[in-house]
Amino acid sequence: FVSVILKHKCSAMENQLQWYNKTLREYISNEELKTLMQKSDWKAFLEIADTWFWIAFAFTLPALYPNVLTVIVSLFILGGKQLACAIIMHDCSHDSVFTSRKLNAFVGNWLGGYAVLNNLEQYRPYHREHHTYTGLENDPDLNLVKGYPTTKISMFRKFLRDLSGATGIKSNIAVIAMHLQILSYNLGGVVKRLFLPWTKERVIMAIKNLAGPLAFHLILLAILFAVGKPWLMLLWIGAQLTTYNFCLRVRSISEHSVVGEQTNPHKNSRTTYANFIERMLFAPHHVNYHAEHHLCMGIPPYRLPAMHKLLLERGYFKEGSLKPNYLEVLKMAINN
């Protein structure tokens, strides 16, 4: 019985991977794909610089004009840009941002994953599983997109937990427990306790997992202290516990929730157009072109709009999932 189940899962995975390879070549020529796959270090640096410009702006605004309004604006900008840091880690885990694998690893950690208490080394194999089993039972992110559409009161409670810090406290404790190998590594809400002995190797691994995020936050605190505004660190931590989780939830819903056919690779990944505010909060680094990313995960993020244009012109989205904005996606995720 177990062998039959495993054979079925492997068959479903192989069918999906074959579909991606076949479909990509139906819509994109080899020459076009070669152009789309080209990495540009200067484009990559501009993308990264944009995120960190807004982080600097979010600190500067309440530093110069400290009041309730500027603090709220700062928290939302920081939450959106912390999501951008997570996306930097995501993109660099595919080695699709810079021409150098080492530079992808360095930037993916120090300007990406470490900012949200994570690291590229743990994230990469986990995320590859998501691409291998998208929408299938073995998809490690499946829990993030289950349960929608939901009621208005349920969605309100979810957003309230996010913005009150309840989600953030729970998720940050879980991430630290993963680094300590108390829990297995899973960012999709699956909690699996590990009962491992505290060997020398485990201690070394825990230190390695925690060292980068800790060093990043100490460096950030030192910079804020050097400019005479160490209290701004509270905004960074506050955003990590609140607005970041709100932005992360909306982004997760938009990508794979309420797609109709969860196991259909042509429909289970959605592209959503984003205006300036939506890009600030939910769609950094062109992550909103998510159907394109799943069709070919090696495309650099700054080339995804060009890929989208080709797919749109050639009719890919006559069947594929495409929405005009994030509000439309949220309307689909809420029962009337």
Side-chain angles (χ1 to χ4, degrees):
F1 175 75
V2 173
S3 65
V4 170
I5 295 296
L6 290 174
K7 185 176 180 181
H8 171 74
K9 289 181 177 179
C10 289
S11 176
M13 177 198 73
E14 289 171 3
N15 289 340
Q16 191 172 73
L17 293 176
Q18 288 172 5
W19 183 90
Y20 282 128
N21 291 329
K22 178 176 178 291
T23 304
L24 179 63
R25 278 151 182 80
E26 286 179 2
Y27 290 93
I28 307 289
S29 70
N30 287 336
E31 196 61 34
E32 288 168 334
L33 185 60
K34 184 178 179 181
T35 300
L36 289 170
M37 291 287 286
Q38 288 181 351
K39 300 170 190 173
S40 168
D41 286 342
W42 74 268
K43 284 181 179 291
F45 278 117
L46 284 177
E47 290 265 339
I48 307 300
D50 179 75
T51 285
W52 284 91
F53 164 81
W54 282 108
I55 289 173
F57 175 83
F59 282 132
T60 303
L61 183 64
L64 294 178
Y65 308 102
N67 58 63
V68 173
L69 179 60
T70 58
V71 165
I72 291 173
V73 171
S74 176
L75 284 172
F76 275 95
I77 293 175
L78 287 176
K81 294 311 161 185
Q82 285 169 351
L83 175 59
C85 289
I87 300 304
I88 291 170
M89 175 182 69
H90 162 270
D91 293 340
C92 288
S93 77
H94 288 293
D95 289 322
S96 63
V97 183
F98 296 96
T99 56
S100 163
R101 184 177 175 86
K102 288 184 177 179
L103 192 54
N104 275 303
F106 179 83
V107 173
N109 275 325
W110 285 100
L111 297 178
Y114 290 166
V116 288
L117 301 181
N118 220 310
N119 65 68
L120 186 142
E121 291 75 22
Q122 286 179 291
Y123 177 77
R124 178 185 278 130
Y126 168 86
H127 184 63
R128 289 293 171 92
E129 290 287 297
H130 167 61
H131 277 274
T132 302
Y133 300 104
T134 306
L136 304 177
E137 291 179 15
N138 285 18
D139 184 350
D141 286 348
L142 201 57
N143 271 17
L144 293 176
V145 299
K146 280 184 175 179
Y148 301 101
T150 188
T151 63
K152 291 180 181 179
I153 188 65
S154 175
M155 186 68 83
F156 175 78
R157 286 197 299 263
K158 293 178 193 301
F159 286 153
L160 183 62
R161 288 197 298 269
D162 294 340
L163 294 173
S164 68
T167 303
I169 291 170
K170 182 179 177 180
S171 60
N172 283 334
I173 290 174
V175 168
I176 292 171
M178 292 172 201
H179 291 330
L180 296 173
Q181 295 179 297
I182 296 170
L183 299 177
S184 63
Y185 188 89
N186 187 291
L187 302 179
V190 176
V191 178
K192 183 179 179 181
R193 180 72 187 273
L194 299 176
F195 296 92
L196 303 176
W198 280 99
T199 61
K200 179 181 177 182
E201 290 75 16
R202 181 183 175 187
V203 172
I204 292 172
M205 183 58 68
I207 293 172
K208 182 180 178 181
N209 291 339
L210 290 168
L214 179 61
F216 170 89
H217 284 82
L218 287 175
I219 291 170
L220 180 59
L221 177 59
I223 292 171
L224 296 175
F225 192 90
V227 297
K229 303 290 183 180
W231 63 269
L232 291 173
M233 192 68 187
L234 296 175
L235 292 180
W236 179 264
I237 296 170
Q240 257 183 358
L241 294 176
T242 59
T243 51
Y244 166 60
N245 293 281
F246 166 73
C247 295
L248 183 61
R249 185 182 298 279
V250 175
R251 174 225 164 185
S252 297
I253 293 171
S254 71
E255 290 176 353
H256 297 291
S257 283
V258 207
V259 290
E261 299 180 44
Q262 194 71 48
T263 59
N264 183 343
H266 203 143
K267 298 177 181 295
N268 64 11
S269 299
R270 180 186 292 110
T271 286
T272 307
Y273 293 137
N275 59 32
F276 174 76
I277 298 297
E278 290 168 329
R279 290 196 302 272
M280 287 288 290
L281 296 176
F282 316 124
H285 304 296
H286 311 289
V287 74
N288 53 308
Y289 294 102
H290 209 63
E292 292 78 5
H293 172 64
H294 271 264
L295 195 57
C296 186
M297 60 185 176
I299 302 289
Y302 38 83
R303 307 257 185 232
L304 290 175
M307 183 182 182
H308 172 75
K309 185 178 179 181
L310 291 175
L311 293 175
L312 187 66
E313 290 172 350
R314 294 167 189 180
Y316 178 86
F317 288 100
K318 289 179 180 178
E319 289 186 58
S321 298
L322 177 65
K323 284 296 172 183
N325 53 61
Y326 280 76
L327 182 59
E328 287 299 310
V329 176
L330 289 176
K331 286 180 180 177
M332 290 175 61
I334 299 174
N335 285 322
N336 292 326

